[in-house]
Amino acid sequence: MNAIISAPELAAEAAGPRPPVLLDIRWQLSMAKAAGAPAFDGRAEYEAGHLPGAVFVDLDAELAGPPGSGGRHPLPDVAEFGRVMRRAGVSAGTPVVVYDGGQGWAAARAWWLLRWTGHQNVRVLDGGLAAWTGELSTEIPTPAEGDFRPEPGAVKLLDADAAAALARSGLLLDARAGERYRGEVEPIDRVGGHIPGAHSAPTTENVAPDGRFLPADELAARFKSLGASGTEVGVYCGSGVSGAHEVLALAVAGIPAALYAGSWSEWSSDESRPVATGPDPQ
C-alpha cells in the first residue's frame, strides 16, 4: 500500500465502486494568536470549499490531547480518537485519504495516527488541496457511522528515553528548520537546540516547490546520506506534527521510522534533559 496518492488517482478512486473516506485536516502552525491576530481557522477554510464528501477533522482538538508536560500536541485519548474517526465514517476495511491545505504536516499527523492505531489503508493526498483540480463543495456531509476501533502499537512510537537511546544506537532525525535545530532561534519552546546525537533533516527538503514529495529514489538517497541504511530510524520535530510528515517521507522512500510524538516541546520542557546546540549532532 502506497503512503501517498496523486490527485488524478484520487479522482478516479472517488468515482469508482469503492470510494475512500476523505478527511480534511486543514491546519497551520501560526504565531498570529500570540501577536494578537486571529489564529488560522481550518474549519472556516473547510466550510468555504472542500473535496466533495470530505469530513473536517480538527488537529488541535481531535488529533491531539491538551498541551502540557507531554508537549504541545500530545497524542489524543485513543477512545476519543476512535469516536472521531467513526463519526467521520472510517471503518476498518474502508480506504481513507487525508489531505490539508498543501503543507502536508497536518494530513501526515492524521495518517500516522491511523497507522499507529491499526488502520491498514490510509494515504495522504500528495500536494494537498492545492493539487486538486476538480470541483470543490460547500456541502457538509453526514457520513454513516464507521466501525473503526483503534488498537495502538501497529507502528513504533518513541518516548523521550527511547529517543535519547536511539540517538546513540541508531539514527534520530530532527525534522525542524535548521536554525531551530542549531538553537539560533526558538519562537515557541522554552529553549533552542536539539536532542544530543540527533541529525538535522528539515522536512521541508522532502518536497518540491509545489508541495509534492520528491520521487522515492531521491528521498531514499537523501535519507541514506544522513545515515538511514541498515539501522533503526526515529524522527522528532517541535510537537509531533511535522515529524509525522518526515515519517511519511521515509515511508515513501521505503524506510520504516518511529515517531517521537512528544518531540522538542516535551523534551525541552524538562530542564533535566540535555540540550545540544550548533550544527554538530553532539
Side-chain angles (χ1 to χ4, degrees):
M1 174 58 61
N2 291 331
I4 58 176
I5 183 171
S6 70
E9 290 170 334
L10 176 56
E13 289 194 17
R18 194 170 177 241
V21 171
L22 300 177
L23 304 181
D24 184 309
I25 324 285
R26 269 179 274 184
W27 172 87
Q28 287 182 9
L29 176 62
S30 173
M31 299 303 292
K33 187 175 181 181
F40 176 81
D41 190 338
R43 186 176 295 276
E45 295 288 326
Y46 164 81
E47 291 176 353
H50 51 265
L51 270 62
V55 176
F56 179 73
V57 177
D58 187 307
L59 186 148
D60 290 319
E62 298 175 317
L63 300 183
S69 60
R72 281 181 281 110
H73 290 104
L75 296 181
D77 176 81
V78 171
E80 180 58 27
F81 174 69
R83 285 191 287 271
V84 169
M85 291 296 102
R86 291 192 295 275
R87 188 188 69 234
V90 175
S91 290
T94 303
V96 178
V97 172
V98 293
Y99 71 92
D100 57 26
Q103 189 179 40
W105 294 1
R109 171 76 172 210
W111 168 83
W112 184 87
L113 280 169
L114 280 163
R115 294 285 293 137
W116 176 63
T117 54
H119 202 292
Q120 298 297 313
N121 191 346
V122 55
R123 292 161 291 170
V124 170
L125 174 59
D126 194 18
L129 187 65
W132 181 256
T133 58
E135 293 184 358
L136 298 180
S137 173
T138 56
E139 180 181 351
I140 308 301
T142 53
E145 182 89 358
D147 65 14
F148 177 64
R149 301 288 173 180
E151 297 182 5
V155 296
K156 190 167 182 179
L157 171 68
L158 301 175
D159 60 14
D161 289 340
L166 184 58
R168 297 188 299 270
S169 65
L171 177 67
L172 183 65
L173 299 177
D174 185 317
R176 298 172 301 158
E179 59 268 25
R180 290 184 70 191
Y181 169 88
R182 294 187 296 271
E184 297 165 359
V185 299
E186 182 44 65
I188 307 173
D189 294 314
R190 184 186 66 83
V191 65
H194 57 269
I195 297 173
H199 291 252
S200 180
T203 197
T204 52
E205 297 179 15
N206 296 323
V207 296
D210 63 3
R212 292 180 174 89
F213 280 106
L214 298 175
D217 58 345
E218 292 184 26
L219 289 172
R222 182 199 183 206
F223 291 123
K224 286 180 181 178
S225 73
L226 291 166
S229 181
T231 191
E232 187 177 355
V233 179
V235 179
Y236 75 96
C237 58
S239 65
V241 178
S242 65
H245 190 261
E246 185 122 296
V247 173
L248 175 59
L250 283 152
V252 173
I255 301 169
L259 178 68
Y260 170 26
S263 286
W264 187 249
S265 60
E266 178 187 44
W267 182 278
S268 64
S269 69
D270 183 346
E271 296 185 15
S272 71
R273 293 200 177 274
V275 171
T277 57
D280 188 275
Q282 301 301 332

